[in-house]
Amino acid sequence: DVKININETARKYFKEWDMSGDVEIRTGIIMTPYFPLRNIIRGAEFSFTNDQAKIDSIKIMAGESELCAKGGISNLKTAMLHNDTLKIDLDISSSSVDADELLKAYSIGNQYQSKTETQKEPEETLTNAEFFKQVTTDTVRKAETRSALFIIPGNITADIGIRMSGMKYQDLDISKFSSDIIIKDRCAQMTGTTLRSNMGNASFDAFYAVRSKEDIKSGFCLDLENVTSARVISMMPEIGEIIPMIGSLNGLLNCE
């Protein structure tokens, strides 16, 4: 779960005071070893109260990717005071995404999070520039990483719309990608997902549920249009394992 820990003093103010405000950020840097890329804020506008934060716009450059978002987070008060569910509503768009780099950064950050307490955290006495250099890697593309298990937090519900172009994943150049994602009760459901790429077109619906590290379920319905079996297997080797006969099919696939 997403842990939100506040002390009794902060809890008292949060409970008894009514707060509101508007924030505008022209530029900024997010430095964290949990996502070791150059994360640059290129503008953000949002407002907040005790119970919600409304994002009018935010643009972040994460490595080679550009991400824009708007939406909001609600139910903050009960989440803070009673460990209740956070509700997220976001629309994410982009004209440039390096999915390989983002996934590797997530995997490296996941491994950092798993380090034992005997290993050192970044020194608090470092300057911003030194800290930035220490936690940011320019070799994410070359890093040997294993896929990290993604656990869906149980105290989050979300409704996320994604609209992207100029997306790269392995040998796939995606000119257009869109999907609607609903998250609830440690489950994620993707609907209306479509992509157009240099290897053909596809659409799919899918779900992913993680009750624990030992209880994982997933399923999908995939429609392929003008795609070769070799390209399908190169993108998703698991498909070749689940359906071995697909490797023996030649020509373009148009199938469900």
Side-chain angles (χ1 to χ4, degrees):
D1 290 346
V2 173
K3 293 181 174 61
I4 304 174
N5 299 316
I6 57 176
N7 60 33
E8 288 303 318
T9 302
R11 185 183 295 270
K12 181 176 183 294
Y13 287 126
F14 204 90
K15 185 177 181 180
E16 297 178 359
W17 287 34
D18 285 328
M19 297 178 290
S20 64
D22 298 286
V23 178
E24 181 178 346
I25 301 173
R26 291 187 178 182
T27 186
I29 301 173
I30 302 173
M31 299 181 288
T32 170
Y34 298 103
F35 199 75
L37 290 176
R38 294 183 176 274
N39 304 302
I40 311 298
I41 298 175
R42 295 297 189 193
E45 294 183 15
F46 61 92
S47 56
F48 64 90
T49 66
N50 285 50
D51 198 48
Q52 66 178 354
K54 180 183 177 183
I55 303 171
D56 294 316
S57 66
I58 184 170
K59 181 178 179 180
I60 297 178
M61 306 293 294
E64 298 298 320
S65 301
E66 173 190 292
L67 301 171
C68 300
K70 62 179 181 179
I73 303 172
S74 58
N75 210 38
L76 282 171
K77 191 169 186 177
T78 51
M80 289 280 194
L81 300 178
H82 307 294
N83 196 31
D84 201 359
T85 302
L86 280 172
K87 298 178 181 178
I88 300 172
D89 189 350
L90 280 180
D91 287 315
I92 301 172
S93 61
S94 176
S95 59
S96 176
V97 177
D98 188 331
D100 290 316
E101 185 181 55
L102 295 178
L103 290 171
K104 284 185 178 182
Y106 168 75
S107 180
I108 293 171
N110 187 272
Q111 293 173 34
Y112 180 88
Q113 191 170 11
S114 301
K115 288 181 178 180
T116 64
E117 294 181 358
T118 58
Q119 292 174 296
K120 292 183 178 180
E121 296 280 336
E123 295 289 342
E124 293 184 3
T125 56
L126 294 177
T127 66
N128 281 345
E130 291 169 337
F131 180 82
F132 194 43
K133 185 177 180 180
Q134 180 172 329
V135 303
T136 305
T137 175
D138 291 322
T139 58
V140 167
R141 294 174 181 273
K142 302 176 183 178
E144 293 295 331
T145 59
R146 56 183 176 81
S147 297
L149 175 65
F150 180 66
I151 300 292
I152 299 172
N155 59 344
I156 282 183
T157 63
D159 191 346
I160 303 171
I162 300 176
R163 306 289 181 266
M164 295 182 175
S165 59
M167 183 176 177
K168 294 183 178 181
Y169 175 65
Q170 296 183 14
D171 295 328
L172 200 61
D173 289 329
I174 301 172
S175 59
K176 185 177 181 180
F177 175 87
S178 63
S179 183
D180 294 307
I181 302 174
I182 297 174
I183 297 174
K184 187 177 182 181
D185 298 331
R186 295 194 185 279
C187 300
Q189 182 180 21
M190 300 179 70
T191 58
T193 305
T194 61
L195 66 86
R196 297 185 177 277
S197 74
N198 59 327
M199 294 186 181
N201 304 326
S203 61
F204 63 93
D205 296 326
F207 80 89
Y208 176 68
V210 186
R211 302 296 182 184
S212 71
K213 290 184 179 181
E214 289 75 35
D215 184 5
I216 304 171
K217 295 180 176 68
S218 66
F220 63 90
C221 177
L222 175 66
D223 284 301
L224 299 175
E225 180 184 340
N226 296 330
V227 182
T228 66
S229 61
R231 285 175 170 175
V232 172
I233 294 173
S234 69
M235 282 189 302
M236 297 177 287
E238 296 82 1
I239 296 292
E241 297 173 8
I242 296 171
I243 315 172
M245 68 170 288
I246 197 173
S248 63
L249 299 176
N250 295 319
L252 296 177
L253 300 179
N254 288 276
C255 61
E256 178 180 1

